[in-house]
């Protein structure tokens, strides 16, 4: 990442050049981003920058953004980020969680309520009440799958028709079927979030997505066609593409339209993304967004790195101001000066 007041550092073998730059005093810019794919190495680079800042007595404002793969596994890094900058009032270290950014970008680009091509839930603009139902199949329940489930649950609390007894509104049904061959993922998730499975419509299927059980339960039954959205995020790009192709082929053989924004496959690797794009893809876009993902043969490939690691996603100044302005409007009955 660059710009007149930002600097970018990647962790793919460039520590020597970073150290040379630090010795020359080239720690310029307000915002610095360490976005290498190795979380541990990113932390080492961040430590080197902070120690240089401390040792040389620098005082200019500096915000350091450090990429980690998963905020759950690396939760202690948030405490590290707070502690490492103690005594340095003008230096801030921010942990950038890749999976959290990916999930947030996904729900922004493909909201359950206002989907661009395939809205699962529709809203009455006059009453604000929602109607319809959504069934979502999530294949893969590692770090990325869990983040996606969380963000979809958070963004799928809609009020529908009035209850028969007149006591409030019925919630619009949104259900999630989760598939993963490792039952340990469910157990670990339930330890961290014990309220999700009993409180929401979430069912877990402990099976391999390319195995015989999955074929019988989903591919060879009508169940597969009941989902308004199918998301593949196993953590393995090659496997994701293969599973997505199997599901797409099942729709083609059935003669049923797959449609747009129904089957989603996550890609992490730049190499796999470029190969898929070169083979049969086209870049998809949304209003106000230069690039959302890659649409190929009825499959929406998401998680594109240049959609996730944007300055706005990581720094969030515009979103922060918007949230403050919304809070001001909500809380103030009479006119007061706007937040600065």
């Amino acid at each position: 990442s660059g710009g007149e007041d930002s600097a970018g550092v990647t962790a793919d073998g460039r520590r020597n050049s970073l150290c040379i730059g630090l010795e020359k005093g080239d720690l310029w810019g307000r915002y610095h981003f360490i976005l290498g794919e190795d979380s541990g190495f990113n932390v080492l680079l961040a430590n080197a920058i902070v120690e240089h800042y401390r040792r040389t007595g620098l005082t200019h404002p500096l915000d350091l953004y450090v990429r980690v793969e998963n905020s759950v596994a690396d939760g202690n890094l948030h405490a590290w980020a707070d502690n490492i900058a103690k005594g340095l009032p003008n230096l801030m270290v921010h942990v950038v969680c890749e999976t959290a950014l990916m999930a947030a970008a996904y729900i922004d680009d493909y909201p359950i309520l206002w989907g661009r091509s395939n809205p699962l839930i529709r809203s009455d603009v006059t009453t604000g009440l929602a109607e319809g139902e959504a069934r979502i199949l999530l294949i893969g329940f590692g770090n990325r799958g869990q983040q996606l489930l969380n963000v979809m649950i958070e963004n799928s609390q809609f009020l529908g028709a009035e209850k028969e007894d007149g006591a409030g509104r019925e919630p619009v049904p949104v259900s999630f079927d989760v598939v993963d061959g490792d039952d340990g993922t469910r157990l670990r998730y339930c330890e961290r979030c014990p309220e999700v499975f009993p409180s929401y419509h979430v069912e877990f299927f402990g099976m391999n997505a390319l195995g015989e059980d999955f074929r019988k339960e989903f591919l060879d039954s009508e169940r597969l066609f009941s989902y308004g959205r199918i998301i593949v995020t196993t953590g393995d790009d090659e496997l994701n593409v293969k599973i997505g192709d199997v599901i797409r082929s099942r729709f083609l053989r059935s003669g049923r339209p797959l449609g747009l924004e129904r089957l989603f496959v996550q890609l992490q690797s730049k190499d796999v993304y470029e190969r898929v794009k070169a083979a049969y893809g086209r870049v998809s876009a949304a209003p106000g967004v230069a690039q959302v993902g890659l649409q190929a043969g009825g499959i929406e490939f998401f998680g594109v790195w240049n959609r996730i690691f944007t300055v706005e996603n990581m720094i969030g100044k515009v979103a922060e101001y918007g949230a403050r302005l919304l809070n001001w409007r909500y809380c103030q009955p009479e006119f007061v000066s706007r937040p600065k």
Side-chain angles (χ1 to χ4, degrees), residues 245-289:
D245 191 58
V246 167
I247 294 173
R248 181 175 68 94
S249 298
R250 178 69 181 94
F251 272 85
L252 291 175
R253 291 198 309 273
S254 72
R256 307 189 189 200
L258 179 58
L260 296 177
E261 298 184 7
R262 187 175 187 180
L263 175 56
F264 296 86
V265 171
Q266 189 203 358
L267 296 181
Q268 304 169 60
S269 166
K270 297 179 183 179
D271 293 337
V272 176
Y273 170 82
E274 292 296 343
R275 190 170 74 243
V276 170
K277 179 180 177 181
Y280 51 39
R282 66 172 179 81
V283 172
S284 62
V289 178

Side-chain angles (χ1 to χ4, degrees), residues 139-143 146 178-190 197 204-209 234 239:
I139 301 175
F141 203 48
N143 298 331
Q146 293 174 21
V178 179
V179 174
D180 196 292
D182 179 8
D183 189 57
T185 60
R186 178 186 64 83
L187 296 175
R188 290 187 291 273
Y189 179 81
C190 288
F197 273 74
F204 185 86
F205 296 82
M207 58 182 65
N208 188 314
T234 68
L239 181 60

Side-chain angles (χ1 to χ4, degrees), residues 3-240:
E4 65 179 22
D5 62 347
S6 66
V9 179
T10 57
D12 53 352
R14 297 185 180 143
R15 176 167 186 155
N16 288 339
S17 59
L18 171 65
C19 292
I20 292 171
L22 293 179
E23 290 304 318
K24 290 180 178 180
D26 294 336
L27 193 58
W28 57 275
R30 168 69 183 270
Y31 302 106
H32 289 251
F33 305 94
I34 303 179
L35 304 178
E37 295 184 359
D38 186 330
S39 298
F41 199 74
N42 292 345
V43 171
L44 291 177
L45 294 180
N47 279 322
I49 289 176
V50 172
E51 287 310 308
H52 175 80
Y53 185 95
R54 188 189 304 274
R55 185 176 65 253
T56 55
L58 296 175
T59 59
H60 70 278
L62 189 147
D63 286 81
L64 186 61
Y65 293 81
V66 185
R67 171 186 174 182
V68 298
E69 180 181 353
N70 177 38
S71 62
V72 175
D74 297 295
N76 60 323
L77 290 179
H78 291 280
W80 161 83
D82 292 336
N83 292 329
I84 192 174
K86 280 186 176 179
L88 302 172
N90 289 330
L91 186 144
M92 291 288 293
V93 178
H94 310 267
V95 174
V96 178
C97 175
E98 175 186 354
T99 51
L101 286 179
M102 176 275 298
Y106 174 83
I107 204 66
D108 284 346
D109 293 337
Y110 307 105
I112 293 175
L113 179 60
W114 290 111
R116 290 180 290 127
S117 299
N118 183 25
L120 303 182
I121 303 295
R122 291 172 172 81
S123 177
D124 187 325
V125 295
T126 60
T127 65
L129 301 177
E131 61 182 13
E133 64 176 314
R135 298 195 67 210
I136 298 172
L137 177 62
L138 180 62
I139 301 175
F141 203 48
N143 298 331
R144 292 164 179 80
Q146 293 174 21
Q147 288 278 5
L148 282 167
L149 177 64
N150 288 343
V151 78
M152 286 190 291
I153 288 177
E154 292 167 0
N155 288 272
S156 63
Q157 307 304 308
F158 310 120
L159 291 179
E162 187 173 345
K163 294 181 179 179
E164 292 183 1
D165 59 6
R169 299 280 177 174
E170 294 282 0
V172 173
V174 180
S175 61
F176 303 88
D177 287 346
V178 179
V179 174
D180 196 292
D182 179 8
D183 189 57
T185 60
R186 178 186 64 83
L187 296 175
R188 290 187 291 273
Y189 179 81
C190 288
E191 288 178 357
R192 293 191 301 270
C193 308
E195 73 286 351
V196 170
F197 273 74
S199 301
Y200 301 94
H201 302 282
V202 183
E203 186 174 356
F204 185 86
F205 296 82
M207 58 182 65
N208 188 314
L210 293 179
E212 185 67 14
D213 290 340
F214 183 81
R215 183 185 65 80
K216 292 179 180 179
E217 186 72 35
F218 295 93
L219 294 179
D220 290 349
S221 75
E222 292 293 306
R223 186 186 198 115
L224 183 68
F225 308 115
S226 69
Y227 296 105
R229 188 167 295 186
I230 302 169
I231 306 170
V232 184
T233 175
T234 68
D236 182 327
D237 283 2
E238 300 288 355
L239 181 60
N240 288 347

